Amino acid sequence: MVRIVGTAASLEEALQRLERFARVDRPMLITGESGVGKELFSRAVYLLSPRRGQPFLSVNCAQFTDENLLISELFGHKKGAFTGAATDRKGLFEEAHNGVLFLDEVGELTPKAQAALLRAIGIGEIVRLGESKARRVDVRVVAATNRDLKRMASEGAFREDLYYRLGHLRLRIPPVRERGDDWRLIAETYLLELQRKHREQKRLSEAALERLATYHWPGNVREIRGLLDMAFCLCLTTEISPSDFEEELEAAFTDDALSDDALVHVSGGRGAPDPAAAYHRMLRGEATFWTAVRKPFLDRELNRDEVRQIVERVLTESGGSYKRALRLLGLGPGEYLKFMDFLRHHRLKPERFMR
């Protein structure tokens, strides 16, 4: 059973595309941040497709550090093809014949594996490692990634022909922060699962809901479930309070901040956005803070100093008021807490306006 929870317009649009794409028997690429549920969406594609009832197999391409093991997993090998290959072995493409194969983190494939995947998709043939004989396979590939394959292709890190083969049917899963109150539906649905599993009645208190409403969920659905797993265990009453998960939120802030520090100077070059251009796009109403500043920052195209400069400039225009600055940033009053949480999380408040 596949259950995708949410009512946001962005999710509804993604589900509509999923339903249409599922009927078309061609390769498909699912994109989205880590934790949004790409494998769940791939299973939905399978269940809605004409191949339902045939094999559905999945593999995480990033788990193989050895190229021979990766190619063997996907395409099989002949006995003696490499050290440890004690017998002939079928790969996942042969095992998934007539069905669907889900390739998670497809951007991690080595060049040799990319070439073999292109052949499997393009002409329906695979060659086991250590053999020269081609074998016919009929497999629908659904690939997923949280990386920018188009940029990787332009930089030579991913085959351009393979990208276009996979990307004809492209589905983006929106992150939780773009889905309004869907986080609450996801949390409450999972909480019901925990109640049934542990035979205990526990719910989120009003204080807990208020605290979580200000959080931006960088780990998406996976993070919601993980946080509730921990809070459910720590809670000693029937109401989960902020104290049952606050330590986890603070740890998430710290971990993400350390990651940002390591990458703070990577912007600049490779067509990085101009901070001044981003500022004027917001003033003209052509973009919001989330699209003009936040996304490039998370994509490492703007660094922390550049974002601080933008925020400082907007605050200067608004007389130092963060709430008045929202209008210049293309944000509504209801996004104030989310905006402030983002600045605090990434330590982006300009020193002149610290409070």
Side-chain angles (χ1 to χ4, degrees):
M1 176 181 173
V2 172
R3 188 176 186 185
I4 299 172
V5 178
T7 60
S10 58
L11 178 66
E12 289 295 328
E13 182 180 346
L15 291 175
Q16 289 172 11
R17 290 171 69 91
L18 182 152
E19 187 174 0
R20 297 190 191 104
F21 290 169
R23 300 170 186 162
V24 182
D25 200 28
R26 296 175 63 187
M28 180 173 168
L29 179 64
I30 300 176
T31 64
E33 296 177 4
S34 178
V36 293
K38 293 187 283 292
E39 183 165 2
L40 187 67
F41 274 70
S42 75
R43 289 184 179 276
V45 169
Y46 163 72
L47 291 173
L48 293 171
S49 77
R51 293 178 183 255
R52 178 175 181 169
Q54 299 298 324
F56 174 87
L57 300 178
S58 65
V59 62
N60 186 318
C61 301
Q63 69 182 344
F64 298 95
T65 56
D66 181 272
E67 184 175 60
N68 284 334
L69 292 179
L70 169 62
I71 293 175
S72 170
E73 181 72 13
L74 294 176
F75 309 106
H77 66 251
K78 182 180 180 180
K79 179 181 177 180
F82 56 91
T83 303
T87 61
D88 291 351
R89 181 183 184 277
K90 285 184 178 181
L92 291 176
F93 268 89
E94 288 181 81
E95 297 285 353
H97 184 63
N98 291 326
V100 173
L101 178 59
F102 174 59
L103 302 179
D104 198 8
E105 299 195 53
V106 71
E108 306 304 319
L109 288 177
T110 62
K112 187 175 179 181
Q114 290 178 35
L117 176 58
L118 181 64
R119 179 175 183 174
I121 293 174
I123 60 175
E125 287 185 354
I126 59 102
V127 177
R128 291 183 184 179
L129 193 63
E131 287 187 348
S132 57
K133 173 186 174 183
R135 300 171 185 267
R136 297 291 300 175
V137 290
D138 178 11
V139 176
R140 182 181 187 183
V141 170
V142 178
T145 183
N146 59 9
R147 303 184 66 181
D148 187 343
L149 291 190
K150 187 174 184 179
R151 174 182 292 178
M152 290 177 64
S154 69
E155 294 172 352
F158 195 84
R159 290 184 66 116
E160 189 172 30
D161 47 4
L162 178 57
Y163 166 70
Y164 285 111
R165 280 279 186 181
L166 292 172
H168 284 310
L169 301 180
R170 188 165 58 252
L171 172 67
R172 174 184 179 268
I173 305 176
V176 169
R177 65 179 174 276
E178 294 180 6
R179 291 171 50 184
D181 289 334
D182 274 4
W183 68 269
R184 181 167 178 168
L185 289 174
I186 296 166
E188 292 178 342
T189 300
Y190 187 56
L191 199 53
L192 289 174
E193 292 182 26
L194 293 176
Q195 289 174 4
R196 287 192 291 268
K197 179 180 179 180
H198 298 286
R199 297 182 181 179
E200 293 183 63
Q201 295 298 313
K202 296 182 182 182
R203 65 184 184 87
L204 290 164
S205 67
E206 286 302 316
L209 290 170
E210 289 178 8
R211 174 66 184 94
L212 295 176
T214 68
Y215 189 58
H216 68 298
W217 302 109
N220 294 292
V221 177
R222 184 185 298 131
E223 184 178 15
I224 295 175
R225 293 169 66 95
L227 183 140
L228 285 177
D229 280 332
M230 184 193 67
F232 197 93
C233 292
L234 294 179
C235 177
L236 301 178
T237 67
T238 59
E239 280 202 341
I240 296 172
S241 68
S243 62
D244 295 318
F245 55 75
E246 191 65 45
E247 185 177 341
E248 183 73 7
L249 295 188
E250 291 301 324
F253 284 152
T254 301
D255 291 345
D256 203 42
L258 288 173
S259 175
D260 288 343
D261 282 340
L263 294 163
V264 74
H265 294 299
V266 302
S267 72
R270 289 212 315 256
D274 177 8
Y279 171 78
H280 288 294
R281 285 179 63 214
M282 291 187 294
L283 288 189
R284 291 194 298 266
E286 297 173 356
T288 69
F289 178 83
W290 306 126
T291 55
V293 180
R294 183 187 183 283
K295 185 179 186 302
F297 173 73
L298 294 178
D299 289 343
R300 316 301 181 191
E301 295 171 350
L302 287 174
N303 65 35
R304 184 178 286 110
D305 288 338
E306 290 168 332
V307 174
R308 282 200 192 109
Q309 290 170 18
I310 294 171
V311 175
E312 182 173 4
R313 188 170 180 179
V314 172
L315 286 170
T316 301
E317 291 289 331
S318 63
S321 169
Y322 283 91
K323 288 189 175 180
R324 286 198 297 270
L326 294 177
R327 182 179 58 82
L328 300 177
L329 296 168
L331 305 178
E335 297 178 278
Y336 173 72
L337 291 177
K338 180 180 176 181
F339 172 63
M340 296 302 292
D341 190 52
F342 172 73
L343 296 185
R344 180 174 74 88
H345 180 180
H346 294 285
R347 294 181 286 117
L348 291 168
K349 287 186 177 182
E351 290 186 10
R352 281 180 53 203
F353 299 97
M354 292 287 255
R355 61 180 186 181

